[in-house]
DNA sequence: ACTGTAGGCCAACACGTGTTGACATCGCCT
DNA sequence: AGGCGATGTCAACACGTGTTGGCCTACAGT
């Protein structure tokens, strides 16, 4: 019974598991949750649909595994304060240009409550946490992170999902030049004169 | 055969037609295209599913009718140039706070190609046209309209679809104070120093 | 009162879906 | 070699979907 790695033992099926996950990410990204069928995913992975069930339990379970997403945000405390917007914008564009998982999550979040919940989690946990490290008054961090999310997700939506031509045509550097200052302002601008001051 | 109004004659079924459309808009807005079933829409309208088919031909046809959307943008040529962002932002928030059609279109556009096409149409025709009337160099109007769309749709996405708490919590005036300047900048800021100048 | 037509309902079809269980096969361990 | 769990395949189930055609009912025109 005493093997060297009882838990981390490399299983023979790992390749299959990975193939399923890869196919699932692609399908979810292009078709959304509902239209992405287990049969299609299984066909892409050259595997029987029942294997998907065996390894991931259900379609929901498969999606949960496929939509695990790490924004890989840099430590904003180490970024020069006047380059926060530029840095963050460039990072996001690079990140989802290389990995379709976020687009899959975005497409699914439009109709699937669980996906929307996960989307909230990604931005609440990762983005808000990163923003908190770069903001003067911690009380405003959540609000600022929300505004940043609205612009960043709007960019992803118009560029990769709706595919608005003028947004698709901008190259990453132009994109950064235009929306970088927006992000910068959301992060560093003092609170607007509030009529009904909150916290 | 010569009635007074041959085409505009009020049919007895108009109430039913309207009820179907109203129910369809609600269902599409909350559930998205795929999860909104004809049976559910018909039940909401207290009507038989087959009536939906008779009046709108197919589910696609029903959606096309339900997703007809007019942004009702003001004439931006009559708005003081330094209040464009504020005006536009406030208008959008009011507009979709009162009418869920745009949210229905947004949810559907995430997975349905036809809906995405229509979304592109709405913003290309209506927004770009309005923006063109307020911008100095007409050549940049499409790009500026695209950037405006990215922030405006991002706001709608995070506030009404994903429901990110910090964005949901902002009241319309705070929202205007924060994102108004962003829109203003996209509309009036000179082009950023372009490294590879396009058109 | 009779008829034609529009409005409405019911039952069913054909299809694709997620999911399940029974059966075959591979490869490691003793 | 023999046994046994992990891998994988096949066929089917139960269900919900969009869609269709037949039938009943109420009302307008004569």
């Amino acid at each position: 019974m005493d093997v060297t790695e009882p838990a981390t033992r490399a299983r023979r099926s790992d390749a299959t598991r990975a193939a399923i996950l890869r196919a699932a990410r692609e399908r979810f990204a292009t078709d959304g949750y509902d239209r992405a069928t287990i049969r299609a995913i299984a066909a892409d992975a050259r595997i029987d649909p029942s294997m998907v069930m065996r390894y991931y339990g259900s379609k929901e379970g498969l999606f949960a595994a496929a939509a695990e997403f790490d924004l890989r945000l840099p430590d904003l405390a180490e970024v020069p304060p006047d380059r926060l917007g530029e840095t963050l914008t460039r990072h996001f564009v690079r990140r989802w240009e290389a990995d379709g998982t976020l687009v899959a999550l975005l497409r699914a979040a439009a109709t699937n409550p669980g996906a929307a919940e996960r989307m909230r989690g990604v931005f609440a946990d990762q983005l808000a946490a990163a923003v908190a490290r770069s903001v003067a008054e911690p009380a405003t961090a959540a609000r600022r992170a929300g505004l940043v999310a609205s612009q960043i997700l709007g960019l992803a939506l118009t560029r990769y999902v709706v595919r608005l031509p003028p947004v698709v045509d901008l190259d990453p550097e132009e994109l950064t030049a235009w929306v970088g200052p927006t992000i910068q302002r959301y992060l560093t601008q003092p609170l607007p004169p509030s009529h009904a001051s909150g916290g």
Side-chain angles (χ1 to χ4, degrees), chain A residues 54-167:
Chain A
R54 194 196 289 262
Y55 289 146
Y56 295 97
S58 69
K59 189 181 182 180
E60 286 279 352
L62 172 63
F63 179 80
E68 204 92 38
F69 192 65
D70 186 351
L71 293 176
R72 298 194 197 167
L73 291 170
D75 184 352
L76 295 186
E78 293 179 359
V79 175
D82 60 333
R83 303 191 56 185
L84 284 169
E86 174 196 346
T87 303
L88 219 41
T89 305
R90 183 174 289 120
H91 175 84
F92 270 110
V93 174
R94 279 220 195 102
R95 188 75 187 85
W96 61 49
E97 203 95 18
D99 182 349
T101 306
L102 209 249
V103 177
L105 188 51
L106 180 52
R107 269 213 160 87
T111 50
N112 187 274
E117 164 91 34
R118 182 171 292 251
M119 184 97 254
R120 283 193 295 271
V122 166
F123 277 80
D125 298 346
Q126 303 182 39
L127 216 211
V131 165
R133 289 180 59 78
S134 76
V135 161
E137 324 94 311
T140 70
R143 189 178 318 189
R144 294 178 190 276
L147 289 161
V148 169
S150 82
Q151 174 63 91
I152 289 293
L153 286 180
L155 206 56
L157 178 76
T158 48
R159 190 172 165 88
Y160 303 107
V161 177
V162 177
R163 292 205 155 83
L164 268 188
V167 180

